[in-house]
Amino acid sequence: MSINRCMLLFSRVQHRICAISVRNTNALVDSRCVHFGSITLLKGSLSGSVSTRQGVSSNSSSRPPDTSLFVPLSIKGDVGSDGAVGAELTQPLDKNELLKMLNKFYKRKEMQKIAADQGLDARLFHQAFISFRKYVLEISMLSADLHIIFNDICCGAGHIDDLYPYFMRHAKQIFPMLDCMEDLRKISDLRVPANWYPEARAIQRKVIFHAGPTNSGKTHHAIQRYLAAKSGVYCGPLKLLAHEIFEKSNNAGVPCDLVTGEERTFMDEEGRQAEHVACTIEMCSVTTPYEVAVIDEIQMIRDISRGWAWTRALLGLCAEEIHVCGEPAAINFVTELMYTTGEEVEVRNYKRLTPFSILDHAVESLDNLRPGDCIVCFSKNDIYSISRQIEIRGLECAVIYGSLPPGTKLSQAKKFNDPEDPCKILVATDAIGMGLNLSIKRIIFNSLVKPNINEKGEKELDTISTSQALQIAGRAGRFSSIFKEGEVTTMYRDDLPILKEILSRTVDAIETAGLHPTAEQIEMFAYHLPDATLSNLIDIFVSLSQVDGMYFVCNIDDFKFLADMIQHIPLNLRSRYVFCTAPINKKQPFVCTSFLKFARQFSRDEPLTFDWVCRHVSWPLVPPKNIKDLVHLEAVHDVLDLYLWLSYRFMDMFPDANHVREIQQELDSIIQVGVRNITRLIRATETNAPPGTNPLSNQRRLGPSPVSPRRVRGAPKAQDSGVEGWQLDKSLGSRLVQEGLLTPDLLRQLQKEWSKVHRQEEEGVKLVAGNNKTKGNKKKKK
């Protein structure tokens, strides 16, 4: 007999010996180790104590993973070199008998219990069994050891439980995370983020909290210390704020650089870095030493999307002094957070420099507007409608909303602030809440209901919070404006008592800070799960992540949306991760299409040149003729922003940043012209609207905003959507694209199918009309 066959017979005897132990469940908790091929069951495995490489740790502090995220891999049914040996040593197997044995194994509660201790819950056990059964029944020749086990069971010489080790071997092939769960848990352990920044922990930092409402001078005092320092970094939430500090610092004779996601401006002609830098908070360096660091709007540390950036800055900045500016609601939390780093917090409280009062009457009509009024809307559609109605009354107004380029926002703000300009009314979204100095006398809330994204990433309509209301209302009567007192009211009478009630509440105290998985952590995950998609890696990471009560994992829906969009494009993991962190508006179809084209071109190792970009955006562009044109120009501006953002991550592949920035500035000027002529664009839009529609109608609500939150699950975000509501209502397809549920390519395919169906329906109508010459022909003529 050959050596191979001798070894197989020996293996057969060994399996039979092991089977005796398997049949007795209690044997698995004995002090001995029971070996099944490559699987080892240790003492206590049934009670949840599993070796590091063999399943889920039963640590009481670890919550069970969300197994719905585990995607089974496909296993090729390749026949091994010993494929025919099993049949030679025993006999051929009957598929029907195999099916009976497998189904009997599936119904064994003991096997399900043992598998659960190895990480296979009921859902995974079922999926693994379906895959195992398919593998056994469809493969032409089983491996010799599995063939022998099935034959023994069939002949009564083995027990059905003998299949367990082979089932688990298969399960770990299709669910590789089962074999490295403990390692994955360690990688995703986010309980002590302060330890991620050894440079910051190496120095004893002094933390000063400048607390106060809007227009209290808190940021001004922090910036004065920043300017007096030998070196410093300012971290703000918006590009506009970073630009403002950049200009203020250089105007004060303190050389300062500017760093945002899309821009790097160095004051030194040779490109040497200045001692001071103003940056958006995501771009701050946690390894560069500074004397002073300023973190603005610290209350955004609880933001469900961007909070991680404030956490990173607060824990990681290497500065001798950390000046934190924000709402008093964050004082206790920041103080507690700094206890974890061994640093004390000095609190400096500020009061509002100018008073503002809540009026006892609503505006009720646009006829009652006064110079210095700002109407706040939470929908771009409302902005266009109200602007049109103001223009009908012979008044000029400026408009500001989130998707406008920064230059256009500043231009509109300058127009409104200029005492010599006839424009005395401002219509804006809550984009005015931060980053713009405006001479507003009276804030008028057109609505108190705003589209939001909740903690679960769901879209909803909700009454604005006290913090949001105060942030917006505080723009009235600013210290630097011509109005030394501010006023706040509503457009509709029924909303006024609700606004008073909202503003009378205390701001909810901040209790948690955001965290986000890093590229390094995801790379380590990918090492253990090389076949998983980036989106799936992120899902599993968040599912397994452990955070203490002071932190939460930020919403990663936008990241996953981009990851799924480019999953089919061949990119290495690090490049894919960087692409997916790009800050784009996923509700803009043109921006999403451009993102896809950028990634595809990048994957081909073909540089995205200036000429390529110009062809893609159809440059040069002309001033907009209607609102639709204006929206498209805003989208093109976002695409150029995306190019600039990527150019600082992949300089060799996006080589023409300077040329792109030049045409972006030209585009900004074109958009400014369009916004200055906004009422003419609205009129043109109304003229071209389909008959019987009122595209810019300002639908007044039937009742007041509710005091308790009114949630509408799945409602699309109206604010700054980039595509007007009246356009979206024309078809379900465009709404699905806006909400990110459908890609433009899929929409085009569906449109082809719809056209085909429509043609078939038309042919059917003609056939019916031919059969009904009287009534049918009359309808046709009409």
Side-chain angles (χ1 to χ4, degrees), residues 22 48-49 53 109 124 137 157 165 190 290 432 450 458 476 534 696 700:
V22 180
S49 178
R53 296 289 296 175
K109 298 297 182 183
L124 293 187
L137 296 179
L190 309 178
Y290 300 103
I432 64 167
K450 175 186 177 182
E458 299 170 327
L534 178 55
L696 299 174
R700 179 165 179 171

Side-chain angles (χ1 to χ4, degrees), residues 174 458 635 694:
I174 65 170
E458 299 170 327
N694 187 7

Side-chain angles (χ1 to χ4, degrees), residues 613-625:
V613 173
C614 287
R615 287 194 302 273
H616 173 64
V617 301
S618 302
W619 186 264
L621 296 166
V622 297
K625 297 178 182 178

